[in-house]
Amino acid sequence: MRGQIGQLMQQAQRMQEDMKRAQDELAKMEVTGSAGGGLVSVVMTGAHEVRRVQIDRKLFADDPEIAEDLVAAAVNDAVNKVAAASKDRLGGVTAGLNLPPGFKMPF
């Protein structure tokens, strides 16, 4: 019994280290969200920090409201890409564990 608990504790420790490493990698990762066929693009880190916004200048002259909508759409696109990358990377850390449905990591 003690051996099993020890192994479980070691497995939990390794998983915690892997989770921390994956979270650090995600925070440094950059994704680009875009909208309007590339008229607006947003570069965002895995920590949801916006690094750059690029907007085609013609949008402001033509229709500023469309430019605003496209900025929002590009930010949302970047956020969705970060979420997908997080799911992919963090999902690999918990693979093989029989966690109950809805169980959130990290603890």
Side-chain angles (χ1 to χ4, degrees):
M1 180 78 171
R2 277 192 172 157
Q4 291 175 338
I5 292 174
Q7 288 176 343
L8 184 60
M9 294 301 287
Q10 288 177 349
Q11 183 182 11
Q13 179 69 31
R14 281 192 304 272
M15 185 178 71
Q16 188 176 19
E17 291 167 1
D18 291 345
M19 179 73 71
K20 175 71 171 129
R21 189 171 25 260
Q23 288 172 332
D24 290 344
E25 289 173 5
L26 282 169
K28 294 175 186 172
M29 169 192 75
E30 288 187 350
V31 299
T32 301
S34 62
L39 293 174
V40 176
S41 64
V42 173
V43 176
M44 178 182 287
T45 68
H48 295 100
E49 178 182 312
V50 175
R51 293 282 171 95
R52 282 186 305 281
V53 176
Q54 293 177 319
I55 304 170
D56 187 323
R57 301 290 186 235
K58 292 185 290 183
L59 278 176
F60 290 116
D62 294 342
D63 192 347
E65 290 178 359
I66 289 179
E68 293 168 354
D69 292 342
L70 290 177
V71 169
V75 169
N76 289 334
D77 185 41
V79 168
N80 290 333
K81 288 179 179 180
V82 168
S86 294
K87 184 178 178 182
D88 288 345
R89 291 203 183 164
L90 297 179
V93 172
T94 59
L97 295 178
N98 294 323
L99 299 175
F103 190 79
K104 299 286 184 189
M105 294 292 285
F107 306 105

